[in-house]
Amino acid sequence: MAGCGKSVLAAETVRDYDFLQRCFSGGVHWVSVGKQDKAGLLMKLQNLCTRLDGDESFSQRLPLNIEEAKDRLRLLMLRKHPRSLLILDDVWDPWVLKAFDNQCQILLTTRDKSVTDSVMGPKYVVSVESCLGKEKGLEILSLFVNMKKADLPEQAHSIIKECKGSPLVVSLIGALLRDFPNRWEYYLRQLQNKQFKRIRKSSSYDYEALDEAMSISVEMLREDIKDYYTDLSIFQKDVKVPTKVLCVLWDMETEEVEDILQEFVNKSLLFCDRNGKSFCYHLHDLQVDFLTEKNRSQLQDLHKKIITQFQRYYQPHTLSSDQEDCMYWYSFLAYHMASANMHKELCALMFSLDWIKAKTELVGPAHLIHEFVEYRHILDEKDCAVCENFQEFLSLNGHLLGRQPFPNIVQLGLCEPETSEVYRQAKLQAKQEVDNGRLYLEWINKNIKHLSRLVVRPHTDAVYHACFSANGQRIASCGADKTLQVFKADTGEKLLEIKAHEDEVLCCAFSTDDKFIATCSVDKKVKIWNSMTGELVHTYDEHSEQINCCHFTNTSHHLLLATGASDCLLKLWDLNEKACRNTLFGHTNSVNHCRFSPDDKLLASCSADGTLKFWDVQSANEKKSINVKQFFLSSEEPQEDLEVIVKCCSWSSDASRIMVAAKNKVFLFDVHTSSLLAEIHTGHHSTIQYCDFSPCDILAVVALSHYCVELWNMDSCLKVADCRGHLSWVHCVMFSPDGSSFLTSSDDQTIRLWETKKVCENSVILLKQEIDVAFQENEVMVLAVDNTRRLQFINGKTGQIDYLTEAQASCCCFSPHLQLVAFGGNDGDIQILELLNNRIFQSSTGHKNTVRHLQFTADGKTLISSSDDSTIQVWNWQSEEYVFLQAHQETVKDFRLLKNSRLLSWSFDGTAKVWNITTGRLEKNFVCHQHTVLSCDISSDATKFSSTSADKTAKIWSFECLSPLHELRGHKGCVRCSVFSVDSTLLATGDDNGEIRIWNVSNGELLHLCAPIPVEEGAATHGGWVTDLCFSPDSKMLVSAGGYLKWWNAVTGESSQTFYTNGTNLRKIHVSPDFKTYVTVDNLGILYILRILE
């Protein structure tokens, strides 16, 4: 019962300090939950994680989705706050409780104890009486009026009767009597006469006595403060409002506001919590209902009042995180504007890059994305396209906007399509900041395509599942709006809309003959519908918890339906029978997904217990089990601490293989041997929500938690395509029966259809990372090999691509005047091609293994190459004379040409060598490191060179001395690259931890540490290894490549800008002589030509 004192009782249980020290030495953490949607729950989890990880030792970014937040919370409770108590106050829904379920001690208050059925572990129920007994009610009244219970007047007994046992109502009347102890008869008469008619038309609760008590209490307020209490009608349930918010609303000093609010508190009309030195205030849910109904006609004006006052005090994007009230405004400003019907102001706010920056920097992108969905009907009135621009920007960059240090949102905006309002605002801001010395980059060759064929919005809430009919002509979908929808696959025309269940519908499935559709729900029921008429055929209700999945057999001669639920059970249903045919026991946690094999002999099931199980359909016995959890175990985390939820599975068409998704990995198992055939790691910050095999067995489609859908080639384990467009979590992906298309369904209320061939064709031409770049005046020319074995000549300015020849190339290069190109292959062959006529006219077969590097001499007459065969070949292609440089004991890592026909090479054998390329004579041998020499660079005066190694050191050498001038120590990871400044006074080095150091060349002293390492769940600051570096001509700036690109102030060591590529693992950055143009390729094969904005 509401208002019966559950929260008060929970608070009282933890007031004993000695008890807490003995039992919960890790502390007590209170979360006011209430009725939540997914965005609200995510914010609750984010706030809790932030509180628990105060020093940010676990992560510097907020979790981006509920699953990630749940996992973060589990680790924090386990490692930083063991033996602590988590109090969840006012839990309404089982799915909300499951988000906090992490094997810690939980005390919760709820109106419905069945919410705990969704979680495992021992439970102890303390029933709170729904109403006070007569004697207890009299005792509370006696405390308010400071009298002995026996001395209370006889009216007290009648008042308790009229209060109907509600502690909240008794408190309200008691507070009135404390101020006016002679009004017993008056307040009793007011309650009995019911002169305050029931004002609540619709409420979370049915409580007439509260209306009476609240009305009396409000009527008895002083006239000069009644309007202030009315103002509280606009605040939401379970929200604690800082004093400062009310100071703004009422234009008063803090002390004045606190004096007024204390009067409300004294009369039990308001509740107060201390938050450090300040106070926060909140209403009971019942009081919110009362005020909302009582003042419904005034609500719009009241919301308008708070917006008007806010505008007097603040500009939205100038709110500072150290302000007491900033979190409130960021969370509820849009809500107040929408409620005030201030559509113009709401659009101006939501379509502002400044607001998006300020809000996401504080609370991450999830809440803002939710607001775009919530107020879409308003925002679309202003400009549907602009609304789409901002939603898409937030969705596609959500994984970046949640991290620390916070990315430059203007730079992210510059990567949007030039037609986007986000790009327009970003360009405007960037130009203004460039004038003040800020660095920004334009992505010159960006090519953003929207590949979805059809977008339908059949639901009014999240779409949890969608599936094709067996003939591929219809699509069924279900979701949080409790409906089943059926529409045409080619046009989106709606065929059926059915109010299917009493709660959210989690899954739907067509029967193989397309006659039936099955649905399953949080309401614990399975229903079978006629797919043409929408008539209900069967209802099954034998599961004891929510049903997560359903799937029909693939043949119609004996039609069976399988269902899996949170009660850990699978059930098989024969549609000709009224009861379950078989119940399958074996899982120890929720069953998330199930699929029949193509021949219907086996049923596969996935569970939150970390296993994939196979069941014999005929006998209903468990046949085998694969422990997927074992593939995530590490030495740092014991098995009992690891939670692995196996999300879904999909069979190959011949039933010999099965694909399984868990966390951020996809596994491919041999069904007969249970052996692991392949493993795909989709990315560090994403969780796989769903996966599906194409009918051809080569492609798999995967839905990820950062709103992206990916296509993977399961034979090569390579990503084929990214499908972006959804604006929130993607719950389901599924191929059509013939594989020609696939659908995706999302929290953004949409279902998208994609043409498989179109998606693959638009994404399949990807570049390998071994490219060469030539800069000529304002021109950028790129030579690259793509993954279809074609050699591409790309004009960076126009985007024109000339396909030169097919080439199984491992590397390529331009000649100095761009007349020739050379490319080497995996077989050791090298070929030279004339650009003018696209003709191969010279070939060499001197190497015995893969060619790794090529370079023409300055006159273009000689081509030098290195290979995995440990040799360097010097080839005068005109005279066809060869010189082989052979002395390295292992593979040559790379080489650089020196003056006077000299060459420096370095190798995995730990040495660097100087050669005469005319005679082939080895002139000097530098034993540089005990481990591999990973990079060398040569000073501009050609007197020194640097070397870096896996031994975590770098060294500076003179060409005249075989001993190093300086050994540079301090790196904690493998030192992968180094570069001299143009004036040869500085050396920069980068390592595998993302750290960059700048050294004084003359004395070897460390000048700057450019990237201190706040490691986030194992990821380095630079997003991975630092693989390449380059100084500007004036030595004042440095650009680095790693997980992304970064620009640094070489004088101060501070970061100037970051450019986030779509992929990661950048190998090299090609820089123009004027340091204004940059070219690189990421591990997805995407080419980036960037130019400094001027």
Side-chain angles (χ1 to χ4, degrees), residues 35 180 218 241 298 412 492 532 645 805 822 851 888 901 913 953:
K35 187 72 174 171
F180 303 99
V218 173
V241 182
Q298 304 178 57
L412 292 179
M532 301 304 293
I645 299 173
T805 183
V851 182
H888 283 296
S901 300
K913 303 180 189 297
T953 68

Side-chain angles (χ1 to χ4, degrees), residues 11 17 22 52 165 175 178 269-270 321 327 331 386 458 471 481 592 666 744 782 812 877 920 959 994 1057:
Y17 179 76
R22 287 195 314 273
L52 296 176
R178 180 178 54 204
L269 290 168
L270 189 67
S321 60
M327 184 64 82
S331 300
V386 171
N471 61 15
D481 63 3
N592 298 317
V666 175
T744 56
V782 179
C812 55
W877 55 268
F959 280 107
Q1057 190 54 271

Side-chain angles (χ1 to χ4, degrees), residues 143-309:
L143 293 172
F144 269 102
V145 297
N146 198 23
M147 295 171 65
K148 291 181 179 179
K149 187 165 66 169
D151 296 336
L152 292 172
E154 64 180 58
Q155 292 93 335
H157 297 261
S158 298
I159 285 175
I160 293 299
K161 181 180 178 182
E162 292 296 330
C163 289
K164 298 181 180 177
S166 166
L168 181 58
V169 179
V170 173
S171 298
L172 287 165
I173 297 299
L176 290 168
L177 288 165
R178 180 178 54 204
D179 293 341
F180 303 99
N182 298 319
R183 294 187 178 181
W184 293 89
E185 183 66 34
Y186 173 72
Y187 292 137
L188 173 59
R189 193 167 61 249
Q190 298 281 43
L191 285 170
Q192 289 175 332
N193 292 342
K194 302 208 176 358
Q195 75 175 58
F196 300 98
K197 64 179 181 179
R198 178 168 177 76
I199 59 173
R200 187 175 300 108
K201 303 295 185 296
S202 59
S203 166
S204 308
Y205 321 101
D206 184 15
Y207 222 121
E208 186 175 303
L210 178 76
D211 290 340
E212 302 296 331
M214 284 288 296
S215 297
I216 296 168
S217 298
V218 173
E219 283 297 312
M220 297 308 299
L221 289 172
R222 297 197 328 258
E223 287 298 326
D224 61 325
I225 64 172
K226 279 185 181 178
D227 286 345
Y228 295 128
Y229 195 67
T230 300
D231 286 342
L232 304 184
S233 306
I234 60 175
F235 297 115
Q236 291 192 333
K237 295 177 181 179
D238 302 303
V239 173
K240 296 181 178 180
V241 182
T243 308
K244 181 64 177 172
V245 172
L246 294 159
C247 291
V248 171
L249 175 60
W250 295 334
D251 200 15
M252 290 182 182
E253 296 293 329
T254 301
E255 293 75 12
E256 293 178 277
V257 169
E258 289 177 349
D259 287 346
I260 293 170
L261 296 176
Q262 190 58 43
E263 293 208 33
F264 302 151
V265 173
N266 292 341
K267 290 178 169 51
S268 298
L269 290 168
L270 189 67
F271 299 91
C272 176
D273 292 326
R274 180 178 288 277
N275 181 22
K277 294 181 180 180
S278 61
F279 296 99
C280 286
Y281 298 89
H282 64 100
L283 295 160
H284 193 281
D285 288 1
L286 296 170
Q287 294 170 325
V288 174
D289 284 338
F290 170 84
L291 284 173
T292 300
E293 291 298 337
K294 181 176 186 293
N295 304 306
R296 185 166 295 281
S297 63
Q298 304 178 57
L299 288 179
Q300 184 172 316
D301 290 336
L302 293 175
H303 282 287
K304 189 173 290 186
K305 176 181 175 181
I306 196 171
I307 295 299
T308 303
Q309 286 298 106

Side-chain angles (χ1 to χ4, degrees), residues 42-52 62 327 363:
L42 179 56
M43 287 195 71
K44 295 279 184 187
L45 289 165
Q46 288 175 333
N47 291 338
L48 179 58
C49 289
T50 301
R51 274 160 40 200
L52 296 176
L62 293 167
M327 184 64 82
V363 300

